[in-house]
Amino acid sequence: MLAIVIGLAPVAVFGVAALWARARSSRIAVLDLTALAPGGKRSKRTRAIDAVVLHQMSFSRGNDPRRYLKVTAHFIIVPDGTIAQLHPMSARLSASDGFNGRSVAIEFAGNLRSVKGGWYRPEDYGRDVLTAAQVLAGRGLLRQLRSAGIRHVYAHRQSSPKRGNDPGPEIWSTVGQWGVDVLGLDDGGEGYAIEAGTPIPDTWRSFTLTT
Ligand SMILES: [Zn+2]
């Protein structure tokens, strides 16, 4: 599988989708909720997919993936590590600002801390901590997407000035940076951001999760 796709980046959108369908059947478990999520969020892609963008939802509704159908992301990962697909890879979503055209979005459930240790409006959205199951699921999904042709992993922060803690240090240090170090994915490097986004801080890369 991997040998087939190496050297094809960036691959055509339908190439990724087809490879993904094959990869999905042989690797990690992904709950298919694409028939239940609102189709109005989808538009046509006009360019190849070569990236994945990581996000935190800044809220949690527990472990039932059906409680997240309105989240604008291709994939969600809930606290118990269940992965669900809400939208086809072939659909463009308004999830990641300037990365939308070329990327697949993954949203992790949870209101997760910033590097300073604080939560966003904890009285309203809770004080969550990324679970080990979410880390394992995120890595597995990233590995699968890598084998389907993805070559870049980005933080939503890099494309939006309003998303400074998205996905935040817990997700970036354990999943995003892992994708860079282990899978060889490219995050644009030090100082990389687009439009009015801000770069990934060094403190995210080296963050150690303490509960
Ligand atoms: Zn986001």
Side-chain angles (χ1 to χ4, degrees):
M1 185 63 198
L2 195 56
I4 296 169
V5 297
I6 280 176
L8 295 181
V11 291
V13 52
F14 297 113
V16 168
L19 289 167
W20 166 255
R22 286 164 51 193
R24 186 167 62 177
S25 65
S26 62
R27 302 276 187 88
I28 56 173
V30 177
L31 183 64
D32 183 359
L33 297 180
T34 56
L36 300 178
K41 289 179 179 283
R42 302 168 188 168
S43 60
K44 282 204 187 323
R45 289 193 187 272
T46 56
R47 58 167 295 184
I49 304 166
D50 69 350
V52 57
V53 181
L54 303 182
H55 304 255
Q56 67 154 311
M57 294 183 196
S58 299
F59 64 85
S60 176
R61 294 181 186 144
N63 290 323
D64 182 356
R66 290 166 187 80
R67 299 193 68 201
Y68 299 89
L69 292 176
K70 291 183 179 174
V71 171
T72 306
H74 295 86
F75 299 96
I76 59 167
I77 302 179
V78 299
D80 72 358
T82 299
I83 304 170
Q85 183 170 8
L86 300 183
H87 299 281
M89 301 256 290
S90 56
R92 179 187 188 279
L93 301 176
S94 294
S96 310
D97 293 275
F99 290 135
N100 286 335
R102 59 182 287 204
S103 70
V104 170
I106 302 174
E107 283 270 9
F108 291 78
N111 188 31
L112 305 173
R113 291 168 290 185
S114 71
V115 280
K116 294 176 181 170
W119 286 268
Y120 172 69
R121 291 174 57 181
E123 301 77 16
D124 298 322
Y125 298 107
R127 296 174 174 84
D128 296 314
V129 175
L130 189 70
T131 69
Q134 282 177 300
V135 172
L136 286 176
R139 289 178 177 183
L141 183 55
L142 211 54
R143 185 186 290 280
Q144 191 158 317
L145 290 166
R146 170 71 174 79
S147 74
I150 295 294
R151 292 295 176 266
H152 304 270
V153 60
Y154 297 124
H156 192 186
R157 170 192 173 106
Q158 289 174 286
S159 64
S160 171
K162 298 174 186 169
R163 305 286 180 161
N165 193 38
D166 188 1
E170 294 182 32
I171 293 169
W172 193 262
S173 63
T174 56
V175 180
Q177 189 63 37
W178 178 88
V180 172
D181 295 339
V182 176
L183 300 180
L185 294 170
D186 169 59
D187 65 8
E190 192 178 341
Y192 178 74
I194 64 167
E195 299 173 348
T198 52
I200 297 164
D202 288 341
T203 46
W204 280 23
R205 301 182 189 280
S206 59
F207 186 79
T208 302
L209 187 59
T210 52
T211 57

